[in-house]
Amino acid sequence: RVAPVMRQAATNRLRFLGRVALDETRVTTTTARMDGRLDRLFVDYTGIRVRKDDHLAEIYSPDLYIAQEELIQAKRALSSNPDRTRQALYRAAREKLRLLGIRPEQIADIEKQEKPNDHLTLNATQDGIVLKLHKREGDYVKEGDTLYSLADLSRVWVFLEAYEDRPEERRVGEEGRSRWA
């Protein structure tokens, strides 16, 4: 057929087989930074959408209690005599809590209250969907144990199977039998 050239949107509809896959660079895990027991899970099944800094779980930890007590004692000692040694002990106590996963505002609250807490709330590190719950409420965990796997689904991979259509390879059928033309 002959027709004049026109600029317009393509109207062919194509169908492909394929699958959608996670972008592995957007999958994170939440791990325990201290030994303890999961006393409460705020997110307790897969498929839940969470936002960054949402509460995931509450962990009981004697190590956390001791680290907070060290900070409180170091702050008291520093206020009575601010020499270099006590300043170093105070900074070390703050750093220990930071390495246990305590956020700066939580450390400031500990210093204000001057009372240690034996529970810590674990927060989501990114927006996403909970892919897997590795531990359940009441489970004991060791430092480094994986608690949650989260995936940010704002970007995914799509794998399609697309084959070139060659007219010379079309099937021609004849009374139930077929052959390649």
Side-chain angles (χ1 to χ4, degrees), residues 65-135:
Y65 188 86
I66 291 167
Q68 291 177 76
E69 188 63 46
E70 288 172 359
L71 174 65
I72 292 165
Q73 294 298 328
K75 182 162 180 159
R76 285 182 188 149
L78 182 63
S79 63
S80 68
N81 183 5
D83 64 0
R84 284 186 174 186
T85 304
R86 291 182 181 167
Q87 288 176 358
L89 287 172
Y90 173 72
R91 283 192 305 270
R94 285 183 63 88
E95 182 64 10
K96 183 175 185 179
L97 285 169
R98 188 189 69 76
L99 293 173
L100 286 174
I102 312 281
R103 297 183 315 216
E105 60 272 11
Q106 289 174 309
I107 294 172
D109 288 343
I110 293 164
E111 290 180 5
K112 284 179 199 169
Q113 294 171 0
E114 294 187 353
K115 181 180 176 196
N117 186 355
D118 56 4
H119 284 80
L120 171 69
T121 301
L122 304 173
N123 298 310
T125 56
Q126 73 173 27
D127 292 350
I129 303 294
V130 176
L131 291 181
K132 184 163 174 117
L133 226 61
H134 297 273
K135 300 288 182 183

Side-chain angles (χ1 to χ4, degrees), residues 1-68:
R1 168 174 138 182
V2 177
V5 174
M6 296 175 21
R7 179 173 284 218
Q8 64 185 35
T11 58
N12 279 353
R13 180 179 213 150
L14 301 174
R15 292 181 183 224
F16 297 101
L17 291 176
R19 64 184 175 88
V20 177
L22 297 172
D23 180 354
E24 292 180 7
T25 63
R26 294 178 171 264
V27 176
T28 62
T29 57
T30 301
T31 59
R33 292 197 173 183
M34 65 198 81
D35 295 350
R37 181 185 63 236
L38 295 174
D39 277 350
R40 183 172 179 196
L41 293 182
F42 298 103
V43 176
D44 57 357
Y45 61 91
T46 60
I48 293 179
R49 177 180 302 275
V50 295
R51 300 275 181 228
K52 184 176 182 177
D53 293 329
D54 280 355
H55 297 330
L56 295 177
E58 191 173 76
I59 188 170
Y60 160 78
S61 174
D63 294 339
L64 173 65
Y65 188 86
I66 291 167
Q68 291 177 76

